[in-house]
Amino acid sequence: ASSPEADAALHPLQDSSLGSLTMYVVPETSPLLPQGINAYVGKHRSALVRAAGTLPTLRSRLQQLTQVMSFTASSITAALSDRVPDGQPGPDARRNLKSSLGYEITFSLLNPDPKSHDVNWDIEEAVTRYVQPVLDKLSLVANFSVDSQILYYAVLGVTPRYDKESSSFLLSTHSLPHVINPVEARLGSSAASLYPVLNFLLYVPERSHSPLYIQDKDGAPVSTNAFHSPRWGGIVVYNVEAPAAPQASLPLHVDVDMARVMEVFLAQLRLLFGLSREELPPEFLLESPGNEGLADWELDRLLWAHTVENIATVSTTLTSLAQLLDKIGNIVIKDDVASEVYRAVASAQSAMDKLATGHLHPAFQASKEAATSSERAFFDPSLLHL
Amino acid sequence: FQDQAEQFFKSGHTNNWAVLVCTSRFWFNYRHVANTLSVYRSVKRLGIPDSHIVLMLADDMACNPRNPKPATVFSHKNMELNVYGDDVEVDYRSYEVTVENFLRVLTGRIPPSTPRSKRLLSDDRSNILIYMTGHGGNGFLKFQDSEEITNVELADAFEQMWQKRRYNELLFIIDTCQGASMYERFYSPNIMALASSQVGEDSLSHQPDLGIGVHLMDRYTFYVLEFLEEIHPASQTNMNDLFQVCPKSLCVSTPGHRTDLFRRDPQNVLITDFFGSVRKVEITRETISLDRDIAGFE
């Protein structure tokens, strides 16, 4: 038997409620785990762990695995990062998407050269087939809405450099920060929704600047040909293959390989949420979650972080409100604002109780209600200090 | 070590916003509108999109019956630069430019029906530029000749923004008479402020244009704009240079600034940290693998 088979077979025996973890310790010499691998992390909420020579070693291995599959001190600190005094985790910690009731995802196809490229992307099909399963998995975390658009004659803000050796055009890493701005003005956003927007841009370079590669710090082209910006979204550069016949008539018909593109976009979506698989120890083998996009325990990681973030938001919001009432004398609290405050406090306390007993799902729900109530109270239009 | 040093001096913001307020109306206050629109143009040129700019203008200049060049607002004499253009997006116009609306925008205490374009949707990683111009006095700023905002109300609004972490860093620039009085009362962290004149001084206008019949701009903003014209998105120019703009010999008034509430050294603060919109990017090194279900798919 292999690890995936064993994991799948054991799955029905587990309590797989949110936040729970089941670990199976297998003998040190067991062939169930490949050579050099000490743990197999399944895509649900379980793992197979190789026994170690000594108990302390096993214990530390289990501890490490538990942290990977739920939360670590640093992931919680990152969730609390805007309340941590400056300089401590550093500005990099505050780069994951903030906890929100919803997110708007916009896919944009940028075709700067429609005379040369007649680009077709079956975005509706791609969203239904590849994106929706991931969003369904994430639906516990927030509401997602998806839209798409095509922008013609939208150019990047930077001119790529021609590299003779590779006969291609290169975008260096330090030019990347300037790429997004000129495009951003044209992206637009939904007038109705106030949720944060995540932009995923597919850029098909002009014929005169093809092929275009993003150059890594060491000079080599980036394998994904993509980059992303925290709390904003991601960009993929899609090169059109040069036509076989040099005299092919323009515009060239291009059918975008949506699966390949979505593999990068969905990876970027994961990274924006803070789900990375790169920092994990090499002796842990992770099962691929397939088209669901993320493992159950990764969903739990998000929920732990968001629950903590929500509760912290409630606490700072209500404390701020109280402090403001002290500092600014002429703010009056109406009854409906007061009841939101009471509701926020009650929900936050319930969330903390549930967190303490490890009931992740109810804790998260309570934390969401608490955060919503506290925001409604703090931002009530009647509290203007005029 | 180079990377660590870079890290220390960077501001840590991920997005930029600008709130540009012209508090005057009426034809003879043309220059205040030109001031605001010129800053608007610069900020857009350097990368902040309309979706991240809240522009409050009486907007009664371009189509004013007294405007000899309808649909234009010029910022230089000889009508060199039309700052009105055809893609200006005014978010709060005419009688919507009130102290209440301004404070609502800043604090976020906005009625739920307000559209997205009229909101300041900043967060704890936003760097915000707030520019105000109009007629001011010692400790207050007039709004459309009918009401005032005091420096205390403004300071309290910033404190509310800080409490709710609605900004990472804030740059406040004001071009009015006795402008420095408006930043005297700030007490929240991470705020840097510049003003066109000290308490007791008037801020003077620049040149009148004989063709249009009014003063086109104020001196301080005129020289700030000249300074900004040299800035492009990759500029390394810092705030200390901005503090030198418009010395008394050119401005007649003495521009002032306040940096005691700001965490970083102004020398390490780039102009583009506030006037532009440079985004932090990361190379995408991970992909997921999708099962391409071929059934029923050509």
Side-chain angles (χ1 to χ4, degrees), chain A residues 82 86 91-92 94-95 98 104 125 129-130 173 176-178 180-181 184-185 189-191 193-195 197 214 216 222 224 226-232 257 259-260 262-264 266-268 270-271 275-278 288 290-291 293 313 317 320-321 323-324 327-328 331 375 378-386, chain B residues 3 7 10-15 46-52 99-101 103-104 107-112 114-117 119 121 123-125 152-154 156-157 159-160 162-166 168 187 190 233-234 263 276-297:
Chain A
D82 63 343
D86 292 305
D92 272 341
R94 290 191 258 163
R95 66 182 195 214
K98 283 166 72 80
E104 249 187 65
E125 168 82 34
R129 180 173 295 222
Y130 301 120
T173 27
L176 295 179
H178 304 290
I180 296 181
N181 294 320
E184 182 152 28
S189 54
S190 159
S193 150
L194 295 176
Y195 291 149
V197 180
I214 298 175
D216 210 339
V222 171
T224 57
F227 64 99
H228 56 278
S229 180
R231 296 195 181 180
W232 185 82
D257 179 357
R260 198 179 101 208
M262 284 302 172
E263 284 182 341
V264 185
L266 292 172
Q268 289 177 330
R270 284 172 47 100
L271 291 169
L275 295 173
S276 165
R277 289 191 161 204
E278 273 204 345
S288 160
N291 286 23
T313 302
T317 303
S320 304
L321 189 54
Q323 283 173 351
L324 284 168
K327 274 205 185 100
I328 303 169
I331 294 185
E375 296 282 295
F378 188 94
F379 285 119
D380 191 272
S382 70
L383 294 181
L384 203 60
H385 60 285
L386 279 177
Chain B
D3 268 36
Q7 206 71 341
K10 279 199 193 132
S11 94
H13 66 286
T14 62
N15 60 87
L46 289 170
I48 305 186
D50 275 308
S51 55
H52 284 64
V99 173
E100 182 182 334
N101 281 345
L103 291 177
R104 286 197 187 285
T107 57
R109 297 217 166 85
I110 261 181
T114 313
R116 198 181 188 120
S117 57
R119 290 178 185 255
L121 295 169
D123 56 31
D124 59 307
R125 302 298 298 272
V152 173
E153 282 169 335
L154 188 57
D156 285 341
E159 175 64 11
Q160 298 206 47
W162 174 250
Q163 288 287 342
K164 202 61 188 72
R165 296 295 184 276
R166 279 166 68 72
N168 173 50
Y187 53 93
N190 294 353
R263 186 176 31 104
S277 184
V278 183
R279 294 204 174 264
K280 251 181 145 129
V281 296
E282 292 170 25
I283 302 282
T284 307
R285 297 186 197 285
E286 297 184 26
T287 55
I288 69 172
S289 67
L290 290 171
D291 181 15
R292 298 131 193 265
D293 185 24
I294 315 289
F297 189 53

Side-chain angles (χ1 to χ4, degrees), chain A residues 17-20 45 139-141 299-300 303-304 307 351 354-355 358-369:
Chain A
S17 58
L18 260 64
S20 67
R45 296 186 169 90
S139 60
L140 268 178
V141 179
L299 180 64
D300 289 354
L303 290 176
W304 289 115
T307 307
K354 301 252 168 35
L355 261 190
H359 291 101
L360 181 55
H361 194 197
F364 178 68
Q365 299 288 74
S367 76
K368 256 201 316 196
E369 279 170 30

